[in-house]
């Protein structure tokens, strides 16, 4: 009887992430769509004992991204610092040399000027990310 109760425990345990909400948009640099790369959403508010989970997504050829949190579609409600990564190799024979195709400020959660609040029921286009070559 005890074994049966223990077997049910993992299936009955609550979701450690909680309810997520759809987050999708397009990524622009100087008004032009990026056609590759990735975005990362890093929780800006980490107080109150609430677990903070990062969310991420790949940028598709049409400039669109869609977030997931630890494999679960969407992101938790809250404020995020947003990073965008897009790199290219400098020389094919030098594997470690890469150049960022977006301004450096956007590639680090400590320096990014991009901030987004994930809320319930946001209209399409409200999670679009606009970057400028001057990093602002």
């Amino acid at each position: 009887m005890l074994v049966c109760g223990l077997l049910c425990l993992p299936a009955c345990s609550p979701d450690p992430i909680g309810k997520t909400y759809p987050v999708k948009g397009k990524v622009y640099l100087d008004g032009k769509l990026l056609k590759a790369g990735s975005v990362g959403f890093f929780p800006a508010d980490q107080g109150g004992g609430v677990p903070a989970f990062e969310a991420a997504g790949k940028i598709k050829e049409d400039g669109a991204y869609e977030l997931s949190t630890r494999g679960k579609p969407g992101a938790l409600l809250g404020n995020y610092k947003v990073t965008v990564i897009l790199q290219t190799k400098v020389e094919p024979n030098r594997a470690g040399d890469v150049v960022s195709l977006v301004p450096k400020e956007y590639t680090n959660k400590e320096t990014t000027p991009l901030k987004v609040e994930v809320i319930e029921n946001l209209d399409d286009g409200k999670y679009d990310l606009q970057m400028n070559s001057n990093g602002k």
Side-chain angles (χ1 to χ4, degrees):
M1 186 80 154
L2 181 61
V3 173
C4 182
L6 290 176
L7 290 175
C8 182
L9 187 59
C12 300
S13 63
D15 179 356
I17 295 172
K19 183 164 177 53
T20 57
Y21 296 84
V23 176
K24 58 184 175 179
K26 295 198 178 226
V27 184
Y28 298 87
L29 176 61
D30 295 328
K32 296 179 183 174
L33 284 170
L34 290 187
K35 298 184 183 229
S38 62
V39 296
F41 279 51
F42 298 88
D45 303 328
Q46 296 189 9
V50 176
F53 294 103
E54 301 166 3
K58 289 185 178 183
I59 302 169
K60 301 174 190 168
E61 286 186 26
D62 65 355
Y65 74 93
E66 192 165 347
L67 293 183
S68 64
T69 302
R70 294 193 176 182
K72 186 175 181 180
L76 297 171
L77 298 178
N79 293 303
Y80 292 86
K81 296 178 182 179
V82 181
T83 61
V84 178
I85 307 292
L86 177 58
Q87 300 175 328
T88 186
K89 290 185 178 183
V90 176
E91 295 180 31
N93 60 345
R94 297 181 66 185
D97 292 344
V98 293
V99 170
S100 177
L101 298 177
V102 298
K104 188 176 181 178
E105 298 82 21
Y106 294 107
T107 66
N108 185 311
K109 68 180 179 180
E110 302 301 326
T111 59
T112 183
L114 292 174
K115 294 180 170 80
V116 169
E117 181 180 10
V118 174
I119 62 173
E120 290 185 58
N121 305 321
L122 198 60
D123 296 334
D124 284 345
K126 296 298 182 179
Y127 291 120
D128 287 356
L129 304 173
Q130 306 280 344
M131 298 180 294
N132 297 308
S133 291
N134 65 8
K136 296 182 181 178

